[in-house]
Amino acid sequence: MPTLNSIPVEKLVRLIGTPNCPAIIDVQTDEDFEADPHLIPGAVRRPFASVADWAAEFRARNAVIVCQKGLKLSHGVAAWLRHAGVPAESLEGGAIAWREAGLPMVPAVRLPARDRQNRTLWVTRARPKIDRIACPWLIRRFVDPSAVFLFVTPSEVQGVADRFNATPFDIESPDTFWSHRGERCTFDVMVEEFGLASIEALARLAVIVRSADTGRLDLAPEAPGLLAASLGLSRMYADDLEQLEAGMLLYDAFYRWCRDATDEIHNWTSHRPSKPADRR
């Protein structure tokens, strides 16, 4: 029987990766987290003891609170958030229940340093097309919902990264961790390194992105459509951030198709009007 003001693991897992996913806030003690330094996809860490100080940060969203076992810490923080006007629930069973269900978790060691507003900061080449829209989508939906992306002149990416403590991605440099590896594109690399490869829909989407991004359109029949839509968006928007926001919806749609609708087809022939009778 569900606990009052709580959400079961199986319900939260269906929300992750979608625009309607609640804020997932990990409030485990440092000792508990260091014992298993992984996060539920999209989760952020916050100290439970100072919830009154950071509660206002989440007023625009629902929230799910995660502690180690889904007991006093998560229930207490959720109650504090509700007091601050944030609809909040505790994750039943906490991080241990998530882990025992065999669900993916993001290794904390792969997360870049955060800025003073607790956001990860990324930088890449301007005028994004496929990989440089798909990767920000993946990060915002599964790693850091508040991530900031800087699009700059290609020759300045590394300099901006150094000066602003940003993480470069999808650039042609042998020293860049988040970039193409062999036949795999940057999206492939992020799915694997962030511990998300076991999510079947993401694995399916990764093939489509790789196919469209590398010009090997035979890898996935959906790739030409993604390529066409991506090039169309790049012509519609002169501002890279506006294009990114439009691209988020595009990848939301592809992800939901990969997750929920791959078996659906539109049988247009069944709607064709019948041939007129022969009047001879």
Side-chain angles (χ1 to χ4, degrees):
M1 182 176 180
T3 306
L4 184 65
N5 294 318
S6 66
I7 181 173
V9 165
E10 56 269 22
K11 182 176 180 180
L12 179 59
V13 75
R14 293 289 295 176
L15 294 171
I16 288 176
T18 71
N20 297 323
C21 184
I24 304 171
I25 308 170
D26 187 302
V27 297
Q28 296 183 78
T29 65
D30 291 341
E31 182 181 10
D32 288 343
F33 186 74
E34 287 168 6
D36 185 5
H38 292 76
L39 290 163
I40 291 174
V44 296
R45 288 269 293 155
R46 292 292 185 274
F48 70 90
S50 58
V51 57
D53 297 328
W54 51 259
E57 178 184 342
F58 297 95
R59 280 185 181 156
R61 303 177 65 184
N62 290 7
V64 172
I65 313 304
V66 181
C67 67
Q68 187 188 46
K69 299 178 181 178
L71 300 175
K72 55 184 178 295
L73 292 188
S74 59
H75 281 276
V77 169
W80 258 109
L81 288 177
R82 291 194 296 273
H83 172 75
V86 180
E89 299 174 296
S90 169
L91 178 65
E92 289 182 6
I96 288 179
W98 188 274
R99 172 69 78 184
E100 290 179 346
L103 295 169
M105 300 188 81
V106 177
V109 69
R110 285 288 174 252
L111 297 175
R114 294 177 181 268
D115 66 9
R116 293 179 181 178
Q117 287 75 45
N118 286 303
R119 304 169 299 186
T120 56
L121 180 61
W122 304 78
V123 60
T124 190
R125 296 168 289 147
R127 305 311 301 144
K129 296 296 188 298
I130 299 168
D131 222 3
R132 282 167 287 147
I133 297 292
C135 290
W137 173 84
L138 181 75
I139 291 167
R140 283 191 175 166
R141 293 290 185 252
F142 291 90
V143 180
D144 177 18
S146 61
V148 174
F149 297 95
L150 307 178
F151 296 97
V152 302
T153 300
S155 61
E156 302 302 327
V157 171
Q158 192 58 58
V160 170
D162 295 339
R163 289 287 187 175
F164 293 88
N165 196 30
T167 300
F169 71 98
D170 198 48
I171 62 173
E172 296 179 4
S173 169
D175 299 325
T176 300
F177 184 81
W178 301 108
S179 197
H180 285 226
R181 296 181 189 173
E183 295 185 347
R184 297 182 301 161
C185 64
T186 309
F187 188 85
D188 285 303
V189 171
M190 287 191 174
V191 168
E192 179 180 343
E193 294 288 351
F194 284 132
L196 304 171
S198 63
I199 300 177
E200 184 178 350
L202 279 183
R204 184 177 290 120
L205 180 57
V207 176
I208 300 172
V209 172
R210 184 190 323 139
S211 181
D213 188 62
T214 62
R216 292 175 291 162
L217 300 182
D218 58 312
L219 295 180
E222 302 80 18
L226 176 59
L227 176 61
S230 301
L231 294 178
L233 286 176
S234 73
R235 300 301 188 274
M236 292 171 62
Y237 295 96
D239 184 281
D240 293 337
L241 294 177
E242 290 183 358
Q243 183 184 341
L244 173 58
E245 291 307 311
M248 293 292 291
L249 180 60
L250 176 66
Y251 282 94
D252 283 338
F254 267 88
Y255 174 70
R256 288 300 296 270
W257 178 81
C258 288
R259 195 187 78 173
D260 302 328
T262 53
D263 294 331
E264 293 185 21
I265 61 172
H266 178 58
N267 186 9
W268 66 272
T269 56
S270 64
H271 300 291
R272 294 175 65 184
S274 57
K275 293 176 65 176
D278 190 343
R279 297 182 180 276
R280 290 181 296 173

